[in-house]
Amino acid sequence: MIGLVDYGVGNIGSLRFAFDRIGLPVTVSREPEVLDMCDGILLPGVGAFAPAAERLIELELVRYLRDWAAKGRSLLGICLGMQLLFERSEEGRPAPGLGLLSGTVTKLATTNRSSHVGWNRVVDTRSNMPSHYAYFVHSYACHPSDLAIVQATTTYGATFPAIVTRQNVSGCQFHPEKSGEFGLDILRRWARGEL
Amino acid sequence: MLTKRIIPCLDIDDGRVVKGVNFVNLRDAGDPVVLCEHYSASGADELVLLDITATSDSRQHILETASAVAAACFIPFTVGGGVRTVDDISQLLATGADRVAINSAGLANPEFITTAASQFGCQCIVVAIDVRRSDDAWHVFSHGGRIDTGRDALSWAIEARDRGAGELLVTSMDADGTKAGCDNEITRLISESVDIPVIASGGIGTREHFRDAITEGQADAVLAASVFHYGELTIGEVKAFLDDIGVPVRPLSESYISGANQ
C-alpha cells in the first residue's frame, strides 16, 4: 500500500489514477495510524513553499515524516513535495523544510520566462541509460549539499536535479503522474525501491 | 532543453466531441476519452478540453469526461468553457485536470483571475484571450468571440499575467477556421511582453504554421483542432518537421517501454 499524504496541497487525483494504472493500491490520508500501515509514502505538492511547509507543521506531519524517514521507511516527494524535503527555500516568507536532505531551494535562473513549464529531457547521472522526457511545472529548484544524491538532472537556464535519492528518501522535481509511460515507470521503480 | 508543446484541442458538447472528427480507426471518435487516448499515444504533449455548451447539464458531463481523461491519459490537460466560479475550478481540478482556462468570466470580473490564482496557484490558471484585429490594434472578444469588449489585447494579456495567470492561450478569431496560419504578430507582441508561457491558436492548417507560430510568434506551445481531427496532419508529422528544422520537440520515438533500461 502506498500512502498519499493529504495535506490539501497537490493533485492527489492524478496520482491516485497513476498508481491505479500500475496496479498498486493507494490510500489518501493524513492520519498517522493509516500512514503507518503503508509500505511507502508519497508527499505531493504544488504551489508555494511557505504555505505548504506551514500546513505540514499545522497538521503535525513534520515530526511524523521525520520519524518515518528516520526509521528507514520509503518516502517520495514530488515537485514541491521534493523541495519540502530540503532545509529551506528562498521562495516567499521564511519557513523550514523537513530537512531530510541537506541543501536549499532557489529561484530558477531563467531568461524570459519565470517558470519551467513543459516537457524537458531527464538525464540519468549514474548510468548510460537513454534519457527521457518528463513534464515539469516549477519556478524553484533544489540545490543539494551532497551532489552524490542526484540521480538525474534536467537543464533549463541551469542544470538542476530532476531526481534525488538518499537511502530511503527520494524526490522528483517533475510530475511522474503526468509524464506518460516514463513517469509511470518512475513510480513503479520507486515502489520497488529502485529509484 | 525545454521543448515546444503541441496541443490538440477538443470541443465538447454534452460529453461528445464536436467539429469534424475523421478517424476511421477509432472505435468511437466522438468519445472524448477515446480521442484523448489516441492523441496521447500519438505524441500530444498536452490536451485541451473545451466545453462549448456549458449548460448546467453539460457541467456534469465535462466533470465526468475530465475524470475519465485523467484516469486514462497520463499527460497534462486543461479544461475550459464556462469556468465562472471558484467552485467550478475546484470541481474541475478535483477530477485530475491540471489547469482550467478562464475567458469571459475573467473579462467580466478581472478580480476572478486574481482570486483563482491565489486560491489554486498560478500554474492552474490559463487565461484564454480571443483576439481580433481592429485597424492597427487587436481587441479582446468575449463569449466565444461574439462580443467586442473594446479592450486592447496586449494590455489585457499583461493584466491577466499580473493578476496571476500561469499561462495565456491566445486565439486569433480572424484566423480561426481559415487554416491560413496564426496571427503571429499579436502572438509575438504578447509573448515578448509577459514572462509566462503563451500558447498560439487559431488558423493552424499546415506544418509550416506550427513552425511560424513558434519562430515568428515566439509561442511556447501551439494548439490546433481540425487539422488533427480531420487527419490532415498527425502530431508525429508535425514534430518530425519541427525537429528537422531545429525546433526542440519531445520526440515521437519517445515510446518508452517499461523496464527497457533496467
Side-chain angles (χ1 to χ4, degrees):
Chain A
M1 178 82 83
I2 304 295
L4 304 180
V5 182
D6 176 18
Y7 66 118
V9 179
N11 195 337
I12 297 267
S14 295
L15 279 163
R16 189 195 270 278
F17 285 132
F19 282 106
D20 283 352
R21 173 59 67 99
I22 61 178
L24 291 172
V26 286
T27 183
V28 178
S29 181
R30 67 179 67 139
E31 303 303 327
E33 53 273 27
V34 176
L35 294 173
D36 273 342
M37 295 186 299
C38 296
D39 303 306
I41 63 183
L42 191 151
L43 184 65
V46 294
F49 190 92
E54 287 159 6
R55 188 89 179 120
L56 287 178
I57 295 169
E58 212 177 287
L59 296 171
E60 296 178 348
L61 283 165
V62 172
R63 179 182 296 272
Y64 182 80
L65 291 170
R66 284 180 180 155
D67 287 350
W68 174 276
K71 288 181 204 148
R73 304 185 74 179
S74 184
L75 174 65
L76 172 65
I78 288 179
C79 197
L80 178 63
M82 171 200 198
Q83 298 178 2
L84 288 165
L85 301 174
F86 287 84
E87 295 163 90
R88 63 183 177 276
S89 171
E90 64 176 33
E91 180 181 11
R93 56 186 180 270
L98 292 169
L100 299 174
L101 299 175
S102 47
T104 58
V105 182
T106 61
K107 185 101 179 78
L108 283 173
T110 53
T111 48
N112 59 345
R113 291 290 183 253
S114 60
S115 303
H116 180 213
V117 180
W119 295 80
N120 205 335
R121 190 191 288 265
V122 171
V123 179
D124 195 303
T125 50
R126 300 160 299 175
S127 66
N128 293 321
M129 174 177 132
S131 58
H132 291 283
Y133 286 78
Y135 186 77
F136 292 84
V137 184
H138 61 118
S139 311
Y140 289 77
C142 302
H143 286 262
S145 313
D146 176 10
L147 291 180
I149 71 169
V150 179
Q151 312 298 322
T153 61
T154 193
T155 301
Y156 183 65
T159 295
F160 51 85
I163 302 173
V164 293
T165 293
R166 195 180 68 89
Q167 294 158 2
N168 54 313
V169 177
S170 295
C172 186
Q173 183 61 69
F174 56 87
H175 286 274
E177 75 281 16
K178 291 289 173 178
S179 295
E181 287 299 321
F182 170 63
L184 295 178
D185 213 47
I186 290 293
L187 293 177
R188 242 181 238 120
R189 282 162 55 188
W190 169 65
R192 287 200 300 252
E194 294 170 1
L195 198 60
Chain B
M1 184 183 248
L2 184 63
T3 57
K4 300 292 182 181
R5 286 168 282 152
I6 305 300
I7 308 174
C9 176
L10 282 67
D11 285 358
I12 296 171
D13 184 1
D14 277 337
R16 300 286 295 172
V17 180
V18 294
K19 276 193 183 171
V21 173
N22 189 20
F23 285 118
V24 284
N25 54 334
L26 293 184
R27 59 189 148 88
D28 180 3
D31 179 345
V33 182
V34 170
L35 202 56
C36 284
E37 282 183 290
H38 166 78
Y39 284 135
S40 175
S42 312
D45 297 310
E46 209 166 308
L47 301 162
V48 170
L49 309 181
L50 206 56
D51 182 11
I52 61 162
T53 42
T55 60
S56 50
D57 279 358
S58 80
R59 295 308 302 165
Q60 195 50 43
H61 277 139
I62 199 75
L63 291 173
E64 287 162 15
T65 300
S67 181
V69 169
C73 302
F74 297 93
I75 61 173
F77 70 98
T78 299
V79 183
V83 176
R84 295 188 188 93
T85 64
V86 162
D87 214 38
D88 290 338
I89 300 177
S90 178
Q91 287 181 359
L92 284 167
L93 295 178
T95 65
D98 297 271
R99 294 190 262 275
V100 296
I102 297 174
N103 193 335
S104 300
L107 285 160
N109 174 23
E111 197 57 31
F112 178 47
I113 298 170
T114 316
T115 308
S118 65
Q119 189 152 340
F120 301 100
C122 302
Q123 78 288 339
C124 293
I125 307 300
V126 178
V127 170
I129 306 180
D130 293 342
V131 305
R132 270 185 209 280
R133 198 184 274 263
S134 164
D135 298 325
D136 53 352
W138 287 265
H139 282 190
V140 182
F141 281 66
S142 68
H143 299 83
R146 292 191 300 275
I147 297 173
D148 185 355
T149 65
R151 276 179 176 272
D152 175 67
L154 182 59
S155 69
W156 175 239
I158 293 168
E159 179 176 345
R161 180 254 172 255
D162 291 346
R163 287 184 175 277
E167 196 153 20
L168 300 176
L169 168 58
V170 179
T171 303
S172 162
M173 301 306 287
D174 300 307
D176 204 28
T178 64
K179 301 231 172 104
C182 276
D183 186 333
N184 297 318
E185 214 178 322
I186 185 61
T187 308
R188 184 185 194 112
L189 269 174
I190 291 174
S191 181
E192 288 179 342
S193 308
V194 295
D195 62 354
I196 52 176
V198 171
I199 307 168
S201 149
I204 296 288
T206 67
R207 302 180 302 179
E208 289 77 9
H209 293 156
F210 285 91
R211 173 197 64 198
D212 297 345
I214 291 164
T215 56
E216 291 171 28
Q218 293 288 300
D220 299 272
V222 185
L223 176 141
S226 52
V227 71
F228 292 136
H229 299 332
Y230 286 113
E232 290 162 19
L233 281 175
T234 65
I235 294 163
E237 285 164 351
V238 173
K239 288 193 166 183
F241 173 74
L242 293 174
D243 184 46
D244 275 351
I245 58 170
V247 173
V249 287
R250 182 171 66 115
L252 186 70
S253 57
E254 172 68 2
S255 51
Y256 185 82
I257 296 159
S258 168
N261 48 44
Q262 288 160 42

